[in-house]
Amino acid sequence: MDLKKYLARHARAVDAALNRYLPRDNAKPATIHEAMRYSLFAGGKRLRPILTLAAAETCGGAVKDAIPAACAVECIHTYSLVHDDLPCMDDDDLRRGRPTNHKVYGEGVAVLAGDALLTIAFEILAKVKPVSRHPVAAHIAELAHASGSRWLIGGQVADLEGEGKRLSGDELKFIHRCKTAALLTSSIRLGGMCANATTQQLKSLTDFGQALGLAFQVIDDILDVTQTTEKLGKTAGKDVKAIKATYPAIFGLDHSRTEAHRLTRKAHAALKPFGAKADTLRALADYLLERDY
Ligand code: GRG
């Protein structure tokens, strides 16, 4: 399988569907719709929705049936980035290679664009086709739980409160699990749910997602100190400047790389019950480990 082609094809399918689901940028009031589209179509890698689609395929489902879930996940992810960049949070000027949402539209509209992306995620997810094991409400509950105060938002709170403090490795892992791994895991689980995955299949996908999500954030921490702003499309070296706890800061670069490899092996191991059907998920895990932006 040509992974580059797979990524491009699935990203195109997600982009086309997002374009259909989002209000036009001239829909009244135009500013909010322009602002939502500005961040959503800024060139994100679409990793989470691609994982949703790949998980659905792994469980024998069709891509088209997982498209609403994939788009919903990307809307939540983009909202979290828009809010994370605000001056009251990480205060960043650059995201996805462009000025951040509040730099273009002002703080008020950026807060609202994030809110609207969060809300429309559930409007889109509600379009998912119910299957015998997973009614629409189960999909909604899944994404709400992962995006809520126990996980995504909880991670952001712990991150904010940890700034400038010496955190332990366990405290750092807690933040990474909540802030990054939970939404990534949920993206994968939702793909499985669209394909009517069994409890056992969902358990394997969860184990895969948790290990992959943690590996993803360890790599993100490494890239923050090893890559340039131009390459990342977001401000490099930000974590060091903000005196943030990161894997390289606590464990050193070498150990962080070793840990990312260990977690990727763990992710692979979780896919064993799927046999060759999970080859795409395996290739995606390797791709994320080797990525340089
Ligand atoms: C504000 C509720 C709220 C949450 C914010 C997700 C998050 C929590 C903050 C964003 C900053 C950050 C370090 C998030 C961790 C996850 C991560 C590495 C996001 C970047 O994901 P990519 O690389 O980005 O997939 P693109 O732009 O390609 O989609």
Side-chain angles (χ1 to χ4, degrees):
M1 198 224 358
D2 184 335
L3 190 70
K4 280 228 166 77
K5 280 194 184 144
Y6 181 93
L7 290 170
R9 184 158 42 89
H10 285 62
R12 268 200 309 276
V14 170
D15 284 353
L18 280 171
N19 190 36
R20 284 197 306 275
Y21 291 143
L22 264 276
R24 297 264 144 246
D25 52 9
N26 60 2
K28 236 172 150 179
T31 324
I32 185 72
H33 300 123
E34 242 184 62
M36 289 162 79
R37 283 176 168 268
Y38 174 81
S39 290
L40 201 54
F41 296 106
K45 297 184 286 293
R46 307 293 194 224
L47 299 174
R48 292 156 194 79
I50 290 172
L51 283 164
T52 306
L53 302 180
E57 291 177 298
T58 300
C59 296
V63 161
K64 72 170 174 23
D65 293 333
I67 282 283
C71 291
V73 159
E74 185 65 16
C75 288
I76 297 277
H77 169 58
T78 306
Y79 125 74
S80 78
L81 300 180
V82 171
H83 279 192
D84 185 61
D85 290 334
L86 288 168
C88 61
M89 302 251 178
D90 244 13
D91 191 10
D92 218 322
D93 295 350
L94 192 71
R95 171 72 66 181
R96 293 176 164 175
R98 293 179 168 194
T100 43
N101 200 293
H102 64 273
K103 284 280 157 194
V104 179
Y105 296 97
E107 277 182 54
V109 170
V111 168
L112 293 167
D115 291 343
L117 286 166
L118 167 62
T119 318
I120 205 167
F122 291 97
E123 186 181 330
I124 296 171
L125 188 55
K127 298 179 195 299
V128 82
K129 203 166 90 187
V131 288
S132 61
R133 295 190 184 94
H134 312 289
V136 175
H139 286 82
I140 303 274
E142 167 70 33
L143 190 57
H145 186 71
S147 324
S149 56
R150 296 176 194 89
W151 294 106
L152 180 66
I153 292 176
Q156 182 74 349
V157 171
D159 195 31
L160 274 179
E161 290 180 346
E163 253 177 59
K165 292 191 187 139
R166 275 181 83 90
L167 297 190
S168 68
D170 281 349
E171 285 167 325
L172 177 67
K173 278 181 204 163
F174 174 81
I175 293 175
H176 283 7
R177 278 198 191 104
C178 293
K179 204 176 79 167
T180 309
L183 185 60
L184 218 129
T185 304
S186 192
S187 309
I188 295 164
R189 282 173 52 85
L190 281 165
M193 289 165 69
C194 293
N196 208 21
T198 62
T199 308
Q200 200 46 50
Q201 286 176 319
L202 277 187
K203 163 87 175 70
S204 301
L205 290 178
T206 306
D207 292 345
F208 171 70
Q210 287 173 345
L212 183 73
L214 211 46
F216 182 81
Q217 186 60 56
V218 175
I219 301 286
D220 202 73
D221 284 0
I222 294 173
L223 294 177
D224 184 70
V225 286
T226 56
Q227 289 292 353
T228 61
T229 297
E230 292 67 37
K231 184 83 189 173
L232 296 179
K234 59 183 179 181
T235 316
K238 193 83 202 304
D239 297 335
V240 178
K241 229 169 152 190
I243 323 181
K244 270 203 180 175
T246 62
Y247 257 80
I250 294 188
F251 300 108
L253 260 179
D254 283 350
H255 180 85
S256 302
R257 288 197 179 102
T258 309
E259 182 61 2
H261 278 86
R262 186 190 69 80
L263 286 163
T264 305
R265 280 197 303 277
K266 195 172 170 195
H268 273 253
L271 296 174
K272 208 162 172 222
F274 291 108
K277 289 199 183 93
D279 279 352
T280 305
L281 287 179
R282 287 188 190 94
L284 284 167
D286 292 341
Y287 167 78
L288 294 185
L289 178 67
E290 301 304 335
R291 75 196 168 102
D292 58 3
Y293 73 101

